[in-house]
Amino acid sequence: MRSQRGYHSYRGRRNVGKVALVVLLVLILVLAGAYLFLQDHIVYESDGSIHVDLPFFQREEPSADLAGEEDVPPVEILHGEEGGQASEPLIAQSLSAADLCDTAADALLTLEADCNGVVVEVKEDNGFFHYTTEHARQGATAEDAVGRSRLQDALAAAEAEGLRTIARMNCFHDSFFAYSNMAGAGICQSSGYIWYDNRSSYWIDPSKEAAQEYLYAVAEECVAMGFDELLLTEFTYPTEGNLSQIDYSEMTTTKEEALSAFLTGLRETVGDGTAISIELTEELILAGSDETAGLVLSELIPLVDHIYVAAEDEQAVLAAVEAAGAEQAEDLIVWERPDRYVSASAEE
């Protein structure tokens, strides 16, 4: 009996040892897996500090409070053919889609007597739409959005008054579409999760097919409603935020090639009867290029009808555009106040 009790006691000690070994091995595996997982989320700051940026602590959905502040209208530089539009100097005033549609005739009467154009923001900073469309993701329709048929009627009234109509359309800074299709359209981190800038908002990648199809569809819709011109804003790859976290490893072209190809595809989509314009910064124009943004002025000029820029030094901007290859850089349109675009040649 003693030997039997002693035998059972001996087996118990062996079992305890096996359990401890299994627990130790599991801990080692967990620690190793955690180490490998964290490699893609360690952020090295410029001051030498280190922190871990985990995707499940990030914003999960873009919020409706991300609407950008009202932008100051820029200067416009005209060059080349005008996409079938009249060549008379542009004197345009900004109106919201809602104001334009609230008794369109009355809204047009508020324009100054010398105006021959109107600029309407249809898709703003971060992807908010100011008209109702099936292309808007959940939460991306502004509270003051108007119906397409109403906007179309208002644009027809503007056309009847001889006004040139310009749709101001934000391009690649679009949290809602980027979040809804990270892999197919978004600018992502190496983990595959959507990358976010220092405003905690997201961007779509001009080189990705889903992003192109989405924006081309919006452009087609604007043309179908009656707009004469598309003004593309934030036509750039992101230049602010923790850019080192962006994963461009799957890109098969350069940023410059991707942006040029996007404009080429847009022209094929909307045809030659619609003017295509882009908004650039004065700094970019004076520098001639920006590698981070993917912009090269001389490559963009042949692909667009107009370049808009808020310029403090108009003569320097003119000289830079002429040097980059613009044919009619003397046709400069400056903004006199936040809601008015005026061609320099119109003031002569």
Side-chain angles (χ1 to χ4, degrees):
M1 294 296 292
R2 290 180 184 173
S3 60
Q4 190 173 18
R5 286 196 298 270
Y7 173 74
H8 286 297
S9 176
Y10 174 72
R11 290 186 63 183
R13 287 196 299 272
R14 288 184 61 188
N15 288 337
V16 170
K18 288 180 179 179
V19 171
L21 179 60
V22 170
V23 171
L24 179 61
L25 290 174
V26 170
L27 287 174
I28 292 173
L29 290 173
V30 170
L31 291 174
Y35 174 78
L36 293 174
F37 173 76
L38 291 174
Q39 292 306 297
D40 286 336
H41 303 282
I42 296 176
V43 178
Y44 299 89
E45 302 292 357
S46 59
D47 61 2
S49 62
I50 300 175
H51 72 271
V52 178
D53 194 6
L54 296 176
F56 39 80
F57 290 128
Q58 298 169 359
R59 300 172 65 111
E60 291 192 353
E61 294 184 7
S63 169
D65 62 3
L66 293 176
E69 298 180 357
E70 188 68 22
D71 293 328
V72 176
V75 172
E76 182 186 18
I77 297 172
L78 306 179
H79 64 84
E81 297 298 324
E82 289 198 33
Q85 302 306 311
S87 59
E88 64 176 319
L90 175 67
I91 303 175
Q93 191 169 329
S94 297
L95 282 179
S96 70
D99 286 343
L100 184 63
C101 290
D102 287 342
T103 314
D106 291 343
L108 295 177
L109 287 175
T110 66
L111 295 178
E112 296 174 14
D114 59 349
C115 283
N116 62 7
V118 59
V119 178
V120 180
E121 187 164 53
V122 294
K123 179 175 178 286
E124 69 167 286
D125 172 41
N126 218 7
F128 287 90
F129 283 84
H130 287 279
Y131 71 95
T132 57
T133 171
E134 62 185 12
H135 303 303
R137 295 306 188 261
Q138 183 176 3
T141 302
E143 292 183 359
D144 65 347
V146 299
R148 290 197 300 276
S149 60
R150 289 187 65 207
L151 183 52
Q152 185 170 355
D153 290 343
L155 292 170
E159 182 181 2
E161 295 293 326
L163 296 173
R164 174 173 155 193
T165 55
I166 302 166
R168 194 165 188 262
M169 169 184 162
N170 190 284
C171 267
F172 306 122
H173 181 202
D174 191 321
S175 283
F176 294 94
F177 192 78
Y179 182 83
S180 70
N181 192 351
M182 295 183 193
I187 290 180
C188 295
Q189 306 174 60
S190 58
S191 63
Y193 193 83
I194 193 70
W195 176 84
Y196 54 95
D197 61 19
N198 53 13
R199 293 173 287 180
S200 294
S201 55
Y202 315 137
W203 291 69
I204 56 180
D205 191 335
S207 70
K208 292 186 175 181
E209 185 176 357
Q212 297 165 8
E213 292 177 349
Y214 162 63
L215 292 174
Y216 292 166
V218 174
E220 279 188 301
E221 200 165 56
C222 289
V223 173
M225 285 188 292
F227 281 104
D228 301 314
E229 178 178 345
L230 301 172
L231 170 57
L232 310 180
T233 66
E234 293 203 271
F235 186 83
T236 174
Y237 277 86
T239 59
E240 297 179 352
N242 194 348
L243 302 177
S244 63
Q245 289 293 98
I246 298 177
D247 180 18
Y248 289 124
S249 62
E250 294 186 4
M251 282 188 65
T252 58
T253 64
T254 66
K255 294 177 183 177
E256 293 82 358
E257 291 169 340
L259 290 173
S260 294
F262 179 88
L263 287 174
T264 300
L266 180 60
R267 171 58 68 200
E268 294 172 352
T269 299
V270 301
D272 294 330
T274 301
I276 296 175
S277 307
I278 56 174
E279 180 180 309
L280 300 176
T281 65
E282 181 177 23
E283 292 76 15
L284 181 280
I285 290 178
L286 296 179
S289 64
D290 184 329
E291 183 178 0
T292 303
L295 298 171
V296 179
L297 183 60
S298 61
E299 294 181 3
L300 296 172
I301 283 177
L303 301 174
V304 298
D305 298 289
H306 318 299
I307 294 177
Y308 288 66
V309 53
E312 295 183 5
D313 189 340
E314 295 173 14
Q315 294 305 312
V317 168
L318 283 171
V321 173
E322 288 176 341
E327 297 177 359
Q328 298 179 30
E330 70 275 13
D331 292 327
L332 179 69
I333 294 183
V334 301
W335 57 271
E336 294 181 336
R337 58 174 194 267
D339 66 341
R340 183 173 163 89
Y341 305 73
V342 180
S343 171
S345 57
E347 299 177 328
E348 295 178 354

